[in-house]
Amino acid sequence: MAKANMRPDKVEMPAQDPKVRARNFDEVTYGYTEEMAVEEASRCLQCKHRPCVEGCPVNVQIPEFIHLITEGDFEGAYQKILETNVLPAVCGRVCPQETQCESRCVRGIKHEPVGIGRLERFVADYHRAHSNPVAAKVESNGHKVAVIGSGPSGLSCAGDLSKLGYEVVIFESLQTGGGVLSYGIPEFRLPKSIVKEEIKQLELDGVKLETNMVVGRILSIDELLHDYGFEAVYVASGAGLPKFLGIAGENGVGVYSANEYLTRTNLMKAYDDNYDTPIRKSKNVAVIGGGNVAMDAARTALRLGAENVYIVYRRSFAEMPARQEEVHHAQEEGIQFLNLNNPVEINLDEHGEVVGMTLIRMELGEPDSSGRRRPEPIPGSQHDIEVDTVIVSLGTDPNPLIKATTPGLDVTNWGGIIVNDEGKTSRDAVYAGGDAVTGAATVISAMGAGKVAAASIDRYIMSKEAEAEAEAN
Amino acid sequence: MFKIVSKEKLNDIVTRMYIEAPLIAKKGKAGQFIIFRIDEHGERVPLTIADTRPEDGTVGIIFQTAGKATRLLSEMNEGDEILDFVGPLGKPSELDGYKKACVIGGGVGTAIAYPSAKALKANGAEVDVIVGFRNKDIVILEDDFRACSDNLYVTTDDGSYGYHGFVTDKLRELLEGGKEYDLVIAIGPVPMMKFVCDLTKEHNIKTLVSLNPIMVDGTGMCGGCRVMVGGELKFACVDGPEFDGHEVDFDDLMMRNRTYSKFEKEEDHKCNLGLKQKAQA
């Protein structure tokens, strides 16, 4: 094998100029060309102990696919990723590679790690541009599994089960598949056409997607198991109700949860004049929170035409949960960070419209239970900012619907569904994963949970079948 | 796609449709709602279920034209199809165990009150119904209510039909005349529900209201439908849409319902109930 290219930094990925992209919904980055991809791939050392693979929740065969890129076999590289990951074009864009595969890369010890995410995205985009979708040929094994929710976790579980020959039906509550990939992550980070195509491929492979089906209302899990012939159910219902601060003014006109703001924009396309979805025309926007969703909401507000967009976060950059790349992109685009500030009150006018927000400055004290230094208010440091829109992005609580309608399903005190290592819940034949179990987390960890559950469901159904056969004989 | 199997104009601005949706027809109960979206570019609009017919697999909706989506829907005809129709959403009403109930509807809210009156009657309760309208031209569902009530009182603001006055005037008269109820259900414009609740609180009668706040997904995700009930944050789509009316902060709700009054992309509409808020539909 050829010697690795010892260039210290990643091949840069071309991107839209920050000033231009801050005003449009087109994708921020353009992706590698073939030449760039081959050069970046040549930086991989092809380590025998493959630490990067360990860092991937779905075990993408990273050195192998990168090696295929160096040989110019881009389609082969795509097929290699697809062996363990049903959504390469999505993961290549939204995975936090810096804390997963790339954090383990040997090249990253002294210099920049190999741009694994960028390469994954490249091969997925290459595949979409150069091939027509074809159905995977899998013989049916005659067993039916229901998946609740078509977000990353549900899609990953459905994809794996379908490859094993299961007849899989996904029940989706919204009009469009994709879950958070469709309603949450903005177009400029993950074009919806890509989500659509990845789902179309799964449908072509035989997975059935039933939209407008709110399980827990239209059908219960028990009905799916007893009346509709499903032998197992995977619950991937995702994040639920948004959390609020509980401060005065929070129900004012112009206060959104990030979920609502993003759903209106992404799923319901409020930014597109061809759609009827209303959204507030804002001048000055404050987003409360420091996670990836807060960055998405802030950058969306900018693109919807706001002049000033602030992130209000009670800790500092060092503690911020958002991906560094997202913070960096937000800064480039002109998002203003009011770190070490905590909202005290949202100020409303006599019509209930947001006109400002009172903040108090914070300082960091001793580390708390999360290991992060606890922010404490500085007495007498209250000050006002002028805003007409406030977006609350403090995470979500699990959706109560499935729990409320599924007797015997155990949940934690905060409502997350309890599962064992195999993704099995307290109910027989019922498995769960993703945000419904963990609370808000990443796309890829949700996909990983879907994979684990798919394998467990397969073992469960196969062992049941073996028992039935033994009894028959 | 979901087919419109029948359409009937109840008055100039209120339409009744039956939509083919067999599973919802089987599962939907009084108090629950659906969300419809006409086409790819349309809004998601919540509507309370007005009737279910499991035997022919259809769901009844009654709506007032109050914006682009309801206007477009009112212009569609039998045999046409709408893109999305999802439900049943929200919790069903709990109507067991009441002996004497008064069901109050205002404007198109009467349509939402109808299944509750019907269910109470079927449960063996004695049911009085008060329905209020601006004038006699827009009175709807009179025969339907007569069939499921012991006493029906129709009120009009201008006195052109039935009792001259508001539903609250009639209710006050009944209560002061010695009528006793163990349940009042009030469904209509927010100010009407607020005034009914003020009155029933004085008389210490349990009162349920059905709220129709701003909503996007209707499944417990967007938080747009948050309302303050008993000083706590509740979400109408999963915790409601029915709540104890004596606990609801109606002023907060009226404020939130104004969110899109000046931003809505749809044409401005004038409330036909003469009230300063989006009509219940």
Side-chain angles (χ1 to χ4, degrees), chain A residues 67-296:
Chain A
H67 178 64
L68 288 164
I69 296 177
T70 61
E71 295 187 332
D73 182 2
F74 307 135
E75 180 57 26
Y78 176 77
Q79 294 302 332
K80 182 53 74 180
I81 298 173
L82 209 57
E83 284 175 14
T84 64
N85 180 354
V86 295
L87 307 171
V90 172
C91 293
R93 288 173 165 82
V94 304
C95 268
Q97 288 96 9
E98 67 277 12
T99 60
Q100 299 181 345
C101 52
E102 292 182 18
S103 75
R104 316 283 181 97
C105 177
V106 172
R107 291 297 309 267
I109 298 170
K110 283 200 176 147
H111 302 290
E112 283 192 346
V114 175
I116 299 167
R118 295 174 182 186
L119 291 171
E120 181 178 34
R121 169 182 168 169
F122 165 76
V123 294
D125 289 354
Y126 178 90
H127 169 80
R128 267 187 307 119
H130 292 89
S131 57
N132 290 316
V134 281
K137 286 199 181 66
V138 186
E139 206 174 313
S140 164
N141 69 6
H143 296 283
K144 276 173 77 179
V145 177
V147 171
I148 300 167
S150 65
S153 200
L155 291 176
S156 139
C157 183
D160 276 16
L161 287 170
S162 162
K163 275 187 210 158
L164 293 169
Y166 287 88
E167 189 186 318
V168 183
V169 181
I170 308 181
F171 295 94
E172 165 58 46
S173 69
L174 295 171
Q175 69 254 18
T176 310
V180 73
L181 308 175
S182 290
Y183 74 74
I185 302 176
E187 179 76 17
F188 56 84
R189 280 216 292 136
L190 178 63
K192 300 310 142 204
S193 58
I194 289 172
V195 180
K196 273 208 177 93
E197 282 184 52
E198 301 241 31
I199 293 173
K200 213 192 293 166
Q201 180 62 51
L202 283 176
E203 288 187 289
L204 203 58
D205 295 343
V207 172
K208 240 178 118 187
L209 177 66
E210 295 260 14
T211 54
N212 290 325
M213 295 290 279
V214 183
V215 172
R217 291 284 184 226
I218 188 81
L219 293 171
S220 68
I221 284 179
D222 283 300
E223 284 171 311
L224 292 172
L225 289 171
H226 302 130
D227 303 341
Y228 287 80
F230 292 103
E231 291 166 71
V233 176
Y234 179 59
V235 182
S237 49
L241 299 165
K243 288 181 190 166
F244 288 89
L245 288 155
I247 59 174
E250 213 167 12
N251 290 338
V253 177
V255 184
Y256 287 91
S257 75
N259 270 6
E260 182 182 357
Y261 198 73
L262 291 171
T263 301
R264 283 183 184 276
T265 316
N266 301 323
L267 179 75
M268 303 302 295
K269 307 214 182 313
Y271 64 87
D272 182 338
D273 280 342
N274 293 316
Y275 286 75
D276 296 334
T277 313
I279 198 151
R280 201 169 166 81
K281 306 234 181 317
S282 314
K283 204 170 155 193
N284 301 304
V285 179
V287 179
I288 303 170
N292 287 317
V293 177
M295 299 305 135
D296 283 347

